[in-house]
Amino acid sequence: MSETAMSDRSPRPLVEIRDLRMHFPIHAGVLRRRVGAVRAVDGVSFDIHEGETLGLVGESGCGKSTCGRAILRLYDITSGSIRIEGDEIGTLGQDALRPRRPRMQMVFQDPQASLNPRMTVARIIGEPLDEHTTLSRAEKRDRIYELMDAVGLNRNFANRYPHQFSGGQRQRIGIARALALNPKFIVCDEPIAALDVSIQAQVVNLLEDLQDRFGLTYLFISHDLSMVRHIADRVAVMYLGRVVELAPRDSLYGAPLHPYTQALLSAVPEPDPDLEASRRHIILKGDVPSPANPPEGCNFCTRCPQAMPICHRIDPEMREPRPGHFAACHLHDPDHIPTAGSTAANDQPQQGE
Amino acid sequence: MFTYTIRRLLIAIPTLLVISLIIFLVVTLAPSDPTANLPLSIPSEVRAQMREALGLNEPILVRYLLWLRQFFLYEPLHMLDQAFGLSLAGEDMQRILSWQTRSPVADLIVQRLPQTLWVVGTSYVVGVLIALPIGIASAYRQYSWFDQIGTFVSMVGFSVPTFFTGVLLIVIFSVHLGWFPSIYDTTLRVTDLSTFWLQIKQMIMPVAVLALYNAAQISRFMRASMLDNLNQDYVRTARAKGMTERVVVLLHVLRNSMIPVVTVIALGVPTVFGGAIITEQVFKVNGIGQLLIIAIQGGDVPTVQTLTFIFAVLIVLFNLIADVLYGLLDPRIRYD
Amino acid sequence: MRAKHALLGAAAALALAPAAFAERGSDGQVNIIYWQGPSTMNPYLSGGIKELEAASLSLEPLARYDPDGNMVPFLAETVPTLENGGVSEDLKSVTWKIKPGLLWSDGTPVTSADVRFTWQYCTAEGGGCSQSEKYNDVADVETPDELTAIVRFSVPKPYPYGPFVGNQAPILQAAQFADCLGPKAPGCTSANFMPVGTGPFIVTDFRPNDVIALKANEHYRDPEKPAFSTVNFKGGGDAMAAGRSVLETGEYDFAWNLQLAPEVLDQMAAAGKGEVEVAFGTLVERIMVNFTDPDPKWGERRATADHPHPFLTDKAVRQALSMAIDRDLLTEIGYGQAGRTTCNVLAAPEIYASEANEGCLVQDIEGAKALLDQAGWVPGPDGVRQKDGMRLSMLFQSSTNAVRQDFQALIKQWWSEIGVESELRNVDASVFFGGDPGSPDTFQKFYADVEMYANSFDGTDPEAYMANWECKQAPRPETQWQGNNMPRYCNAAYDALVAEMAKTGKMDERIALAKKMNDILMQDYVILPLVHRGRVSARATSLGGFVMNAWDSELWNAADWYRVK
Ligand SMILES: Nc1ncnc2c1ncn2[C@@H]1O[C@H](COP(=O)(O)OP(=O)(O)OP(=O)(O)O)[C@@H](O)[C@H]1O
Ligand code: SF4
Ligand SMILES: [Mg+2]
């Protein structure tokens, strides 16, 4: 994989992730010794271009959040490289990172849990200003009001506590907070998952709106494939700590290459009833293996409907069967050409309604 | 919050009345005889006369009502009299008298409060002061050596009985090294540096024993609460904001973790007044705890009744204080 | 044993000598620890021994008992007796003369009015006086003059030393307690805590169950005493800690009542800071033999005189049981220096102790076997002796207590060596001694063949104690199982001696009677005495003048204490 392997545009990407790994130690026994590791993120590489939204999808527990947090260095990563605007932050210490934090921010899944319950909205939004700017009190207050306006929060609520807001409002606080230091890059970790459907659209629209106004770049984490289809420019699919497919939105939704993506997409309900009726669901058997003990060969081989003997031995590499469309599957490996090409996915699917 | 507090206080009154009745019944109906510990040579007729003189022949209800009147009316009046040199209490307003000493129970309590507050109170404060940093550090470096040692020490402090640690300390520091007295002198008055030093010397061992025990409990609470909060998203938010680790841990995590810990600490305060029965016995501190145990052994119903009721009041009160504190510390809780 | 006491007396006299040159208050503070803290200084309001002892520092009776159990005058000039005319011939009045010039600690004179008042105080209606028994049958106390008090009894009192003698009946100051009669007694807190006294020390601060601070009484009758200026009397903790504070850390000068295992005491004493003090009162650990049949087949009437015991009524068996016991070993194992072997149930005071039964001191297994052989009890196939189909198999009960269970095991072994089988049983002390007539497990019901416990009597006069084994004292359904004659012993000759003692006033005659009764019980093997148990306390080596006393307060001579320099 070359330096530019996963970029399809010429300008240097804003974010470059290479072979990122995040393993959590497992402690057990009386003395709580380390007995193994959860490989929550296990060799992930991709780029994000300035101004674009990269969707990151996958089942619960596949490592999406960990990946997002690791990119922002909320964890001390196990290995790999993270470059933001060409600046390597993967190996920096927390102290060295701190001045770089304003450039990259995060919006969390649970707006309640992500806001310190003992701080008022003004303090939550204003705290990073204290740390990273030299604004006067009045300037800070103005900035806080400005941000509240930007996310559509009533200024009068500045001295309230998070619990005094609705879920949607809380997520707006979270977004305002993330915007406070004028970041370029925001990781949105399922920012709408905890919200009512009616409010989800509002928040997504707000995010899109803010992206236009401030030229933001998003890593948009979600397991809601239709929402990702709506917001993302490109989409990465994760399974068990790895990215298995990465492609521009239309290419991915139109013609998924990886059997896992195909299964995921087959589960998305079609708005069109006729199409829905004719759609075939691919039902995956078995449970997701434990990230502490991933299977040998292809991570997906235990559940893949098209698994081949080689899949149990050799880990498939990321390839680019179509321009800009990457997938890690032996089905797309010219050395292991199976009976059929990319359409093979539909040959022996599990039938179901 | 204010109306809530008032409401809670009002509810507390009937609750305490019921508690007082239950305590009275339990203490009175328990098969204990104030003359049981007397030498066998005192004949049973004399014992019967002694019991009669104690008022044991009155019906239970009469005794209970008398006690209520004494506790809520006579005693406060006598206290006012003593404090301000008044004479509000009438001649016939008999105070609650201990059966063992035949002196007012309130005086006994007042007499014993200083040593209990000194020893048990100090040990509570010391316990909390060492528990908090240990709990914080253990949680922050979970599974580190520090945490393992902390866990072990807590386990020891919690499970080794204080009579064992107490006697162990006495054997080492009083018998072998001769550094500290093995018997607490309750009459010691701290007037200058040298008496202060004596006071410190006689407090060190009982305070150490109790502080270890208290610290063991509270540090575990602190650790658990810190761990709960360390993994919260708002902590990540704080880190993502680029706050220094100190700010993250001390301002964000600690302040939130302190909410349950503060209430646990507040709930533990009544035990300070209750004294520490075993430790007081071991070091002869002779505070409230020893008063209670002696009264129980001697079948001294008025003393047991009054002490346990005061504990009940303190427990109810500190429950309320804990709740109010919780409300003050945690903006999510609203009582009105 | 007499020689030993004489020596002890001599030692005490020697010890007293240097104190005579001391000046009052010149020896600083003496520290006393009672692991049960006194709750009042008024002995009439609490019958507890700890209160009696504490009070003895301030309050004094007309006469006390010395370490040999002899009366010595304290506030009185002499002890009145029949011989010196102080006791009337009809045994119904006693005339006490108070030492002239005695002052209370507040400087007022001690008069016979105080003596009279003390009687009134303890017998006042509604006061619940714990020592009222001492004033039984007192009809009046007359005060013909300031220094004379005549105690008049309603019945003849051969032993008239109940009132105003010993630490249970000290004299109170009438002026201080005048308003504290009857129901008002408990309200007089400051009087009860800080009594005006005649003793060597008076209270300056009293903290119930915690600490008593006392200082030398300026008006004490001997101007040179006490040598100590203050007393720190600490209470609380346990016997172990109290012993430690005297014997190991040396923080205290005297620790009272150290009921500890012999080896623990020895170990503490090895530190060399103090000495263990032992004094023997009347407490004797003994085995009672049941003369009646406890077999359940007799129903309600089991263990009553209706059904004599099938084999324990045979004197040979009882005697053999006694001969098989090694009393020396028991004493050494169970009590160490706090016990001594005895062959008398009336082992003290010294003057009453018989020397006619010393044979029991030597264990004689072979003799016991021969005795049983002679009596026709021959070993059966299982080694247990039998006669006419009756096996020597017994139930042996006692209260639950580590030492007693050790004793039971040893005795069972010795008895099995002579061919007597025994089954052991122990009952919780609160039940065993509880006296509940509904319980089958009390020592009075005695639903066993033999039982072991300790008993003593109060004071030095054995009259009431020896009357315990009168026939009519046997517990039985008619008496709600109350009574002290556990063996259900019934001997007309013995009962006649009891009656005689009740009307004999002359001391030497009383002594002879008591010894005779003891010898009957011993030589008939009704009671098998095992160990004479003593009181154990500890004294710092630097505390001089201390003389241990089992018959009065252990602090009885605190006026003579001094600091060894
Ligand atoms: N701090 C941690 N310690 C140990 N294991 C962790 C930790 N955080 C996450 N994991 C594990 O890593 C794996 C990935 O977790 P992650 O939260 O990244 O999943 P996710 O894809 O975000 O799931 P979801 O959609 O449910 O949020 C899970 O198996 C999880 O149990
Ligand atoms: S490599 Fe094999 S197992 Fe893995 S997805 Fe492709 S076909 Fe399935
Ligand atoms: Mg997640």
Side-chain angles (χ1 to χ4, degrees):
Chain A
M1 224 180 294
S2 73
E3 266 290 293
T4 54
M6 267 162 263
S7 76
D8 55 355
R9 276 176 246 177
S10 39
R12 191 183 177 91
L14 182 73
V15 180
E16 297 161 90
I17 311 296
R18 290 297 172 272
D19 203 23
L20 177 65
R21 286 173 207 273
M22 183 67 230
H23 297 179
F24 296 107
I26 302 173
H27 297 273
V30 186
L31 290 178
R32 305 251 125 224
R33 281 198 213 286
R34 187 180 164 152
V35 294
V38 177
R39 300 165 173 223
V41 174
D42 200 20
V44 162
S45 305
F46 56 73
D47 293 341
I48 309 175
H49 296 278
E50 184 142 8
E52 86 164 337
T53 300
L54 177 68
L56 184 60
V57 299
E59 277 171 292
S60 182
C62 69
K64 305 183 295 293
S65 298
T66 307
C67 184
R69 290 169 190 162
I71 291 170
L72 294 188
R73 286 298 318 280
L74 293 177
Y75 292 130
D76 287 331
I77 61 171
T78 309
S79 66
S81 145
I82 303 163
R83 280 166 188 273
I84 298 199
E85 294 183 299
D87 191 4
E88 174 62 53
I89 63 163
T91 50
L92 288 182
Q94 291 295 342
D95 282 329
L97 269 171
R98 203 164 302 115
R100 295 171 167 85
R101 290 243 175 248
R103 277 189 288 170
M104 43 189 200
Q105 283 298 321
M106 182 144 186
V107 174
F108 292 91
Q109 174 168 357
D110 181 347
Q112 164 97 53
S114 62
L115 302 174
N116 188 331
R118 292 181 60 187
M119 290 188 174
T120 59
V121 170
R123 267 197 78 189
I124 290 173
I125 301 177
E127 199 186 22
L129 300 176
D130 298 340
E131 179 73 21
H132 297 286
T133 68
T134 52
L135 298 179
S136 71
R137 280 177 73 106
E139 285 168 330
K140 272 187 228 163
R141 201 192 53 228
D142 290 345
R143 175 78 180 130
I144 291 166
Y145 286 156
E146 197 183 305
L147 287 161
M148 291 182 71
D149 292 345
V151 298
L153 279 172
N154 188 331
R155 287 180 171 205
N156 296 331
F157 295 168
N159 286 319
R160 290 196 181 180
Y161 288 95
H163 69 273
Q164 292 164 309
F165 291 89
S166 72
Q169 286 172 320
R170 266 180 232 150
Q171 198 54 295
R172 285 168 199 266
I173 300 170
I175 294 169
R177 197 227 86 231
L179 290 175
L181 292 168
N182 289 319
K184 300 198 75 166
F185 173 52
I186 299 184
V187 174
C188 303
D189 186 0
E190 312 211 31
I192 51 171
L195 304 180
D196 265 14
V197 186
S198 54
I199 300 164
Q200 285 183 351
Q202 284 178 18
V203 172
V204 168
N205 290 341
L206 173 68
L207 284 172
E208 287 191 304
D209 184 35
L210 293 170
Q211 185 170 39
D212 291 346
R213 278 167 61 192
F214 301 119
L216 300 172
T217 304
Y218 289 146
L219 175 64
F220 191 92
I221 298 173
S222 180
H223 54 248
D224 180 344
L225 287 162
S226 23
M227 192 55 81
V228 170
R229 185 174 199 169
H230 172 78
I231 196 171
D233 300 312
R234 287 188 305 136
V235 179
V237 180
M238 266 188 95
Y239 182 78
L240 209 58
R242 306 251 178 124
V243 170
V244 295
E245 185 160 8
L246 172 65
R249 172 185 59 195
D250 294 333
S251 175
L252 187 108
Y253 282 85
L257 293 178
H258 196 281
Y260 177 62
T261 314
Q262 290 162 0
L264 275 187
L265 287 177
S266 80
V268 179
E270 276 287 341
D272 180 343
D274 293 341
L275 273 176
E276 172 66 22
S278 64
R279 214 165 52 91
R280 285 185 289 179
H281 290 268
I282 304 168
I283 301 225
L284 294 176
K285 282 187 172 168
D287 289 330
V288 186
S290 156
N293 188 17
E296 191 148 328
C298 173
N299 264 352
F300 190 50
C301 68
T302 54
R303 300 167 79 203
C304 180
Q306 300 168 55
M308 304 167 290
I310 183 173
C311 306
H312 293 278
R313 286 185 286 112
I314 298 174
D315 194 8
E317 269 184 50
M318 192 60 118
R319 289 170 202 286
E320 192 172 1
R322 281 189 235 139
H325 193 140
F326 301 84
C329 171
H330 289 304
L331 292 172
H332 306 285
D333 183 347
D335 300 339
H336 302 285
I337 299 276
T339 45
S342 62
T343 50
N346 294 337
D347 284 354
Q348 299 144 338
Q350 306 289 316
Q351 300 291 316
E353 287 291 297
Chain B
M1 185 69 77
F2 182 70
T3 50
Y4 169 81
T5 312
I6 298 294
R7 205 172 60 230
R8 279 282 302 265
L9 281 174
L10 288 180
I11 296 174
I13 291 171
T15 316
L16 285 171
L17 278 178
V18 172
I19 291 177
S20 77
L21 178 63
I22 293 173
I23 292 176
F24 186 82
L25 290 178
V26 170
V27 174
T28 314
L29 298 180
S32 82
D33 176 359
T35 66
N37 287 341
L38 298 180
L40 281 170
S41 55
I42 293 183
S44 52
E45 311 87 71
V46 176
R47 285 166 200 260
Q49 283 166 15
M50 294 176 74
R51 279 193 291 267
E52 194 181 330
L54 296 174
L56 265 166
N57 292 358
E58 301 281 346
I60 285 200
L61 189 68
V62 172
R63 279 154 62 193
Y64 174 63
L65 291 178
L66 174 66
W67 180 85
L68 273 188
R69 221 162 346 123
Q70 287 177 324
F71 190 90
F72 288 103
L73 189 65
Y74 300 174
E75 285 294 339
L77 287 180
H78 277 282
M79 294 217 171
L80 286 176
D81 287 358
Q82 277 182 357
F84 304 107
L86 308 172
S87 47
L88 300 171
E91 267 289 298
D92 55 339
M93 294 193 179
Q94 181 64 291
R95 303 184 62 179
I96 303 174
L97 295 185
S98 151
W99 283 353
Q100 278 186 309
T101 68
R102 304 301 188 90
S103 65
V105 174
D107 291 355
L108 295 178
I109 295 173
V110 168
Q111 209 165 52
R112 274 145 185 276
L113 213 48
Q115 49 263 36
T116 287
L117 290 186
W118 265 109
V119 172
V120 188
T122 310
S123 70
Y124 200 64
V125 173
V126 171
V128 169
L129 287 183
I130 55 182
L132 298 187
I134 290 179
I136 294 167
S138 296
Y140 191 66
R141 297 246 170 273
Q142 196 188 6
Y143 303 141
S144 66
W145 272 110
F146 183 87
D147 184 28
Q148 316 272 26
I149 292 170
T151 308
F152 179 74
V153 171
S154 303
M155 224 159 63
V156 170
F158 197 63
S159 49
V160 177
T162 49
F163 64 78
F164 180 80
T165 36
V167 172
L168 189 71
L169 288 189
I170 287 181
V171 168
I172 295 175
F173 293 104
S174 296
V175 176
H176 287 291
L177 297 173
W179 292 356
F180 309 124
S182 70
I183 289 168
Y184 189 94
D185 177 4
T186 47
T187 56
L188 182 69
R189 293 267 159 283
V190 177
T191 50
D192 52 16
L193 257 175
S194 72
T195 47
F196 180 70
W197 176 231
L198 284 179
Q199 176 66 12
I200 298 283
K201 278 200 338 195
Q202 68 173 350
M203 276 173 61
I204 282 182
M205 291 195 293
V207 166
V209 166
L210 282 175
L212 176 70
Y213 184 76
N214 288 329
Q217 262 178 315
I218 296 171
S219 71
R220 292 277 94 185
F221 264 110
M222 188 71 238
R223 177 178 181 273
S225 179
M226 281 289 286
L227 283 178
D228 273 354
N229 280 283
L230 272 170
N231 292 322
Q232 296 275 328
D233 275 347
Y234 76 82
V235 180
R236 289 198 189 92
T237 309
R239 292 218 173 94
K241 281 177 185 173
M243 311 312 294
T244 60
E245 205 55 18
R246 248 175 57 100
V247 173
V248 172
V249 174
L250 296 183
L251 206 84
H252 289 259
V253 183
L254 182 59
R255 284 192 57 196
N256 277 289
S257 311
M258 280 308 285
I259 298 172
V261 177
V262 163
T263 60
V264 165
I265 292 173
L267 287 177
V269 172
T271 61
V272 171
F273 289 90
I277 292 177
I278 292 167
T279 312
E280 286 187 6
Q281 284 282 92
V282 170
F283 294 98
K284 274 64 73 181
V285 175
N286 293 353
I288 303 282
Q290 193 251 9
L291 178 65
L292 178 65
I293 193 73
I294 296 248
I296 291 173
Q297 286 166 351
D300 185 352
V301 170
T303 308
V304 177
Q305 159 82 5
T306 306
L307 274 178
T308 40
F309 184 66
I310 290 176
F311 297 158
V313 172
L314 287 174
I315 288 168
V316 169
L317 190 70
F318 276 89
N319 262 294
L320 175 61
I321 290 178
D323 282 357
V324 170
L325 271 180
Y326 208 107
L328 289 177
L329 292 175
D330 190 341
R332 285 170 294 186
I333 311 286
R334 288 178 62 90
Y335 291 123
D336 296 309
Chain C
M1 274 184 201
R2 278 184 191 285
K4 195 168 154 193
H5 267 272
L7 268 176
L8 209 137
L14 261 177
L16 300 186
F21 308 112
E23 195 184 320
R24 174 178 297 160
S26 59
D27 280 353
Q29 175 160 297
V30 61
N31 295 302
I32 299 174
I33 184 162
Y34 273 48
W35 55 272
Q36 291 172 307
S39 55
T40 176
M41 282 292 276
N42 183 343
Y44 293 111
L45 287 187
S46 159
I49 294 172
K50 54 191 168 48
E51 283 81 18
L52 296 180
E53 299 244 332
S56 73
L57 290 172
S58 289
L59 298 174
E60 295 176 307
L62 296 175
R64 284 198 191 283
Y65 296 99
D66 73 4
D68 293 326
N70 303 316
M71 263 178 282
V72 284
F74 260 60
L75 298 185
E77 273 193 304
T78 49
V79 176
T81 59
L82 264 176
E83 291 79 2
N84 67 20
V87 178
S88 67
E89 283 303 327
D90 65 356
L91 303 176
K92 287 175 83 169
S93 70
V94 190
T95 305
W96 291 92
K97 291 267 184 207
I98 299 172
K99 281 179 184 158
L102 280 184
L103 294 180
W104 289 105
S105 53
D106 63 0
T108 59
V110 178
T111 68
S112 53
D114 295 311
V115 178
R116 182 179 157 82
F117 174 81
T118 301
W119 161 66
Q120 289 172 326
Y121 179 86
C122 188
T123 50
E125 195 66 31
C129 174
S130 61
Q131 306 299 346
S132 56
E133 158 97 326
K134 295 272 165 209
Y135 297 94
N136 266 357
D137 304 322
V138 176
D140 196 7
V141 179
E142 291 166 15
T143 54
D145 65 62
E146 292 258 292
L147 297 180
T148 311
I150 304 174
V151 183
R152 297 224 182 270
F153 294 98
S154 54
V155 293
K157 283 269 166 182
Y159 188 85
Y161 306 111
F164 316 123
V165 178
N167 61 345
Q168 286 118 325
I171 309 297
L172 297 178
Q173 193 199 34
Q176 192 183 22
F177 287 89
D179 286 333
C180 305
L181 287 176
K184 287 201 208 138
C188 294
T189 306
S190 73
N192 293 334
F193 284 180
M194 307 172 86
V196 172
T198 54
F201 297 100
I202 53 165
V203 179
T204 52
D205 184 12
F206 185 89
R207 303 184 180 202
N209 300 325
D210 177 19
V211 165
I212 313 171
L214 303 99
K215 66 165 203 256
N217 173 4
E218 319 168 22
H219 298 287
Y220 187 65
R221 54 188 170 276
D222 184 337
E224 283 161 359
K225 290 176 181 175
F228 288 106
S229 61
T230 54
V231 180
N232 168 33
F233 193 116
K234 174 84 178 178
D238 52 87
M240 183 88 159
R244 189 184 293 129
S245 70
V246 170
L247 297 173
E248 288 191 309
T249 68
E251 291 163 86
Y252 278 75
D253 296 306
F254 174 70
W256 164 84
N257 191 19
L258 306 180
Q259 302 163 332
L260 297 168
E263 62 274 15
V264 172
L265 267 178
D266 290 346
Q267 209 177 1
M268 283 187 179
K273 295 221 156 106
E275 277 148 46
V276 174
E277 293 277 354
V278 185
F280 292 89
T282 58
L283 188 65
V284 172
E285 185 83 27
R286 79 284 298 278
I287 289 176
M288 294 290 190
V289 178
N290 199 343
F291 277 64
T292 62
D293 192 357
D295 195 319
K297 74 182 168 198
W298 304 118
E300 259 296 279
R301 307 302 300 175
R302 69 192 280 211
T304 67
D306 298 3
H307 306 285
H309 198 279
F311 57 83
L312 286 175
T313 43
D314 181 345
K315 184 182 161 196
V317 175
R318 302 197 298 271
Q319 185 174 354
L321 292 180
S322 178
M323 289 166 79
I325 295 169
D326 183 348
R327 289 168 169 81
D328 265 333
L329 187 62
L330 291 181
T331 306
E332 193 187 315
I333 288 177
Y335 298 98
Q337 36 178 336
R340 56 190 188 196
T341 53
T342 183
C343 292
N344 295 310
V345 70
L346 177 57
E350 197 66 29
I351 41 171
Y352 292 102
S354 166
E355 278 158 8
N357 313 304
E358 303 300 291
C360 90
L361 290 179
V362 185
Q363 184 189 32
D364 184 5
I365 299 269
E366 290 315 312
K369 283 182 182 167
L371 190 64
L372 289 171
D373 285 338
Q374 246 171 40
W377 296 95
V378 290
D382 55 355
V384 177
R385 287 175 191 268
Q386 52 185 14
K387 180 161 94 177
D388 309 330
M390 174 66 61
R391 295 171 74 245
L392 291 183
S393 174
M394 307 190 298
L395 178 61
F396 180 10
Q397 73 177 11
S398 188
S399 70
T400 309
N401 165 316
V403 175
R404 295 219 164 100
Q405 267 75 76
D406 285 351
F407 277 25
Q408 278 186 307
L410 283 167
I411 293 170
K412 178 190 167 99
Q413 170 61 29
W414 292 322
W415 284 348
S416 79
E417 282 174 38
I418 61 167
V420 177
E421 179 183 75
S422 50
E423 180 193 332
L424 303 182
R425 176 164 185 264
N426 64 77
V427 182
D428 186 79
S430 63
V431 175
F432 192 64
F433 298 115
D436 174 7
S439 165
D441 298 322
T442 63
F443 72 142
Q444 286 112 331
K445 281 260 175 84
F446 204 171
Y447 286 166
D449 302 287
V450 288
E451 66 183 3
M452 177 172 62
Y453 60 91
N455 201 3
S456 63
F457 61 94
D458 201 21
T460 54
D461 180 58
E463 183 186 325
Y465 179 64
M466 295 317 285
N468 279 346
W469 297 286
E470 236 183 327
C471 194
K472 65 175 187 209
Q473 282 262 27
R476 53 195 186 275
E478 296 78 47
T479 64
Q480 273 72 50
W481 295 99
Q482 301 304 307
N484 296 311
N485 184 359
M486 305 312 162
R488 289 92 162 109
Y489 183 60
C490 219
N491 178 342
Y494 188 89
D495 291 3
L497 291 174
V498 171
E500 197 180 335
M501 187 158 182
K503 45 183 209 277
T504 305
K506 287 229 168 55
M507 205 56 196
D508 46 353
E509 288 171 28
R510 293 175 66 79
I511 292 172
L513 282 169
K515 280 189 176 178
K516 206 161 166 187
M517 285 190 266
N518 173 73
D519 292 347
I520 291 180
L521 294 173
M522 295 303 97
Q523 285 154 21
D524 216 3
Y525 299 94
V526 179
I527 297 169
L528 316 181
L530 302 173
V531 183
H532 185 188
R533 290 169 51 189
R535 280 165 49 167
V536 185
S537 294
R539 169 185 64 85
T541 329
S542 66
L543 176 64
F546 177 89
V547 181
M548 184 70 174
N549 190 340
W551 305 106
D552 207 296
S553 164
E554 292 183 22
L555 311 177
W556 72 293
N557 74 333
D560 305 331
W561 292 2
Y562 60 93
R563 179 69 63 206
V564 175
K565 301 257 160 56

